[in-house]
């Protein structure tokens, strides 16, 4: 755990924000997200909205953000499609043909980088790029497979195996769909989205961030992506990750800061210090007693969670759920 004696909106020049589960869920705004982001902007922090979703264009993402109360322009949006297009433009000559197994977001990103999107293997593309599209057809996947088998470079916009469903049941994501071409050809794709470094690199280039803070709700994409990019991170609990999952995370999935929601950008984050074999944060102390962590004290439950996290993360090996559940129940989180 890190500490900050200033609000994070003042300590970091750019917040690299995940979208679904952080700013909105589906098309519904996360409570207080718009207000918190407006205050962060007023404090001088720049905001960038970073998404693994390759199906939407930056214009579409900006429009959705605006409808949930967060004014945004296309220039504020960084997508995995843009990261994929940059990687391809750095490896291929200008004007090269790229077979697109995906939607308009990918096509626009390729055009912007001087590449030529195509749809059939008969055009002998130099590369195949695949991104999520809910209307993806078998025929287009088959064309991509044919081109990869013929030697085309294979790039995937992101490797998320699932995406949230409107009914709460996960749906297959691009990572699952990538396995079709991978299985058919034996060729593994280069993945550019979170948690891989290309999307983080794209975000830094587009924002010019000198001290970025990654803000997200997923350990395996947002927090691991920050870890891979060497950036600090803030985990919020408005999306898929709950406190138990955070406490039992391995090293690459451990955030720098914890907060209930985006209001965590607006406040200082107190120090967790070692205290007589335990870990103390404001009014709470967490210490190991045999194979369990015991939490004592009172005050803000998130200060208790910080102390508990420091104890749970004392070793590289993830703590077992049984070691932290009792202490976590005491916080009411």
């Amino acid at each position: 755990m890190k500490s900050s004696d200033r609000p994070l909106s003042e300590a970091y020049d750019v917040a690299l924000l995940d979208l679904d589960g952080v700013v909105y869920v589906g098309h519904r705004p996360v409570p207080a997200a718009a207000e918190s982001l407006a205050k962060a902007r007023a404090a001088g922090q720049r905001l960038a909205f970073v998404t693994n979703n390759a199906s939407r264009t930056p214009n579409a993402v900006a429009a959705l953000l605006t409808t949930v109360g967060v004014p945004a322009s296309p220039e504020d949006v960084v997508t995995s499609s843009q990261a994929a297009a940059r990687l391809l433009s750095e490896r291929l000559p200008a004007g090269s043909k790229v077979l697109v197994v995906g939607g308009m977001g990918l096509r626009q990103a390729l055009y912007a980088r001087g590449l030529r999107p195509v749809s059939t293997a008969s055009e002998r593309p130099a590369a195949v790029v695949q991104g999520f599209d809910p209307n993806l057809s078998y025929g287009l996947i088959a064309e991509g497979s044919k081109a990869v088998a013929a030697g085309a470079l294979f790039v995937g916009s992101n490797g998320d195996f699932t995406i949230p469903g409107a009914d709460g049941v996960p749906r297959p994501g691009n990572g699952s769909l990538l396995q079709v071409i991978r299985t058919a050809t034996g060729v593994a794709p280069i993945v550019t989205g979170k948690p891989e470094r290309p999307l983080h690199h794209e975000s830094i280039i587009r924002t010019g961030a000198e001290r970025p803070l990654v803000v997200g709700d997923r350990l395996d994409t947002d927090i691991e992506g920050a870890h891979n990019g060497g950036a600090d991170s803030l985990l919020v609990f408005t999306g898929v990750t709950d406190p138990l999952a955070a406490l039992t995370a391995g090293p690459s999935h451990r955030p720098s800061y914890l907060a209930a929601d985006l209001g965590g950008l607006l406040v200082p984050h107190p120090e967790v210090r070692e205290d007589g074999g335990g870990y103390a944060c404001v009014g709470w102390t967490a210490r190991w007693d045999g194979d369990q962590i015991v939490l004592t004290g009172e005050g803000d439950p998130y200060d208790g969670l910080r102390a508990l996290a420091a104890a749970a993360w004392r070793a590289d090996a993830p703590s077992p759920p049984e070691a932290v559940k009792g202490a976590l129940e005491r916080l009411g989180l």
Side-chain angles (χ1 to χ4, degrees):
M1 297 299 298
K2 289 198 169 186
S3 64
S4 175
D5 57 6
R6 294 185 293 158
L8 301 184
S9 57
E10 299 176 12
Y12 294 87
D13 62 340
V14 179
L16 303 177
L17 296 137
D18 183 50
L19 295 175
D20 206 350
V22 176
V23 182
Y24 52 70
V25 176
H27 286 192
R28 303 187 315 276
V30 168
E35 179 184 356
S36 296
L37 292 178
K39 289 180 178 179
R41 273 177 165 154
Q45 188 171 57
R46 289 180 290 127
L47 308 179
F49 303 96
V50 184
T51 177
N52 263 358
N53 190 330
S55 64
R56 291 179 180 149
T57 65
N59 279 296
V61 174
L64 176 55
L65 283 164
T66 302
T67 64
V68 298
V70 182
S73 69
E75 291 72 30
D76 297 324
V77 178
V78 188
T79 72
S80 60
S81 292
Q82 293 170 328
R86 182 180 295 275
L87 182 144
L88 288 165
S89 70
E90 291 172 348
R91 299 193 179 201
L92 303 175
S96 293
K97 297 176 183 177
V98 178
L99 198 159
V100 178
V101 183
M104 188 55 66
L106 273 173
R107 289 181 173 272
Q108 285 192 5
L110 292 171
Y111 277 124
R113 299 297 303 176
L115 299 169
R116 182 181 167 192
V118 298
S119 301
T120 63
S122 62
E123 297 188 70
R124 302 179 68 181
V128 172
V129 61
Q130 180 170 335
F132 180 77
D133 182 349
N135 300 312
L136 198 59
S137 69
Y138 174 82
L140 193 53
I141 293 174
E143 290 296 319
S145 179
K146 191 186 304 183
V148 170
L153 180 66
F154 185 24
V155 173
S157 66
N158 71 293
D160 296 346
F161 286 110
T162 63
I163 58 173
D167 57 1
V169 179
R171 303 288 195 269
N174 194 57
S176 296
L177 300 175
L178 283 173
Q179 300 308 308
V180 179
I181 293 179
R182 178 174 186 168
T183 301
T185 63
V187 177
I190 300 169
V191 177
T192 60
K194 296 181 280 188
E196 308 304 328
R197 293 191 66 180
L199 181 53
H200 184 77
H201 179 61
E202 182 76 11
S203 302
I204 300 302
I205 291 174
R206 288 183 175 272
T207 62
E210 296 181 357
R211 187 164 166 75
L213 178 70
V214 174
V215 184
D217 69 308
R218 294 185 67 112
L219 301 178
D220 59 348
T221 54
D222 305 314
I223 305 308
E224 185 178 343
H227 177 85
N228 291 341
D232 289 344
S233 60
L234 169 66
L235 176 69
V236 295
F237 295 106
T238 48
V240 301
T241 300
D242 60 21
L244 179 61
L247 293 173
T248 55
S252 66
H253 290 173
R254 296 170 181 171
S256 311
Y257 306 97
L258 299 166
D261 53 33
L262 287 175
L265 291 171
L266 309 176
V267 295
H269 287 246
E271 179 184 12
V272 180
R273 54 186 175 80
E274 290 193 46
D275 179 25
Y279 298 84
C281 183
V282 191
W284 297 93
T285 300
R287 55 172 43 88
W288 283 89
D289 183 6
D291 58 0
Q292 291 192 335
I293 302 175
V294 175
L295 184 68
T296 57
E298 59 183 4
D300 185 332
Y302 278 89
D303 291 337
L305 186 63
R306 294 179 182 106
L308 187 51
W313 298 345
R314 69 176 184 178
D316 286 345
S319 293
E322 295 74 19
V324 299
K325 278 184 176 179
L328 186 59
E329 287 174 1
R330 190 165 188 274
L331 296 174
L333 298 177

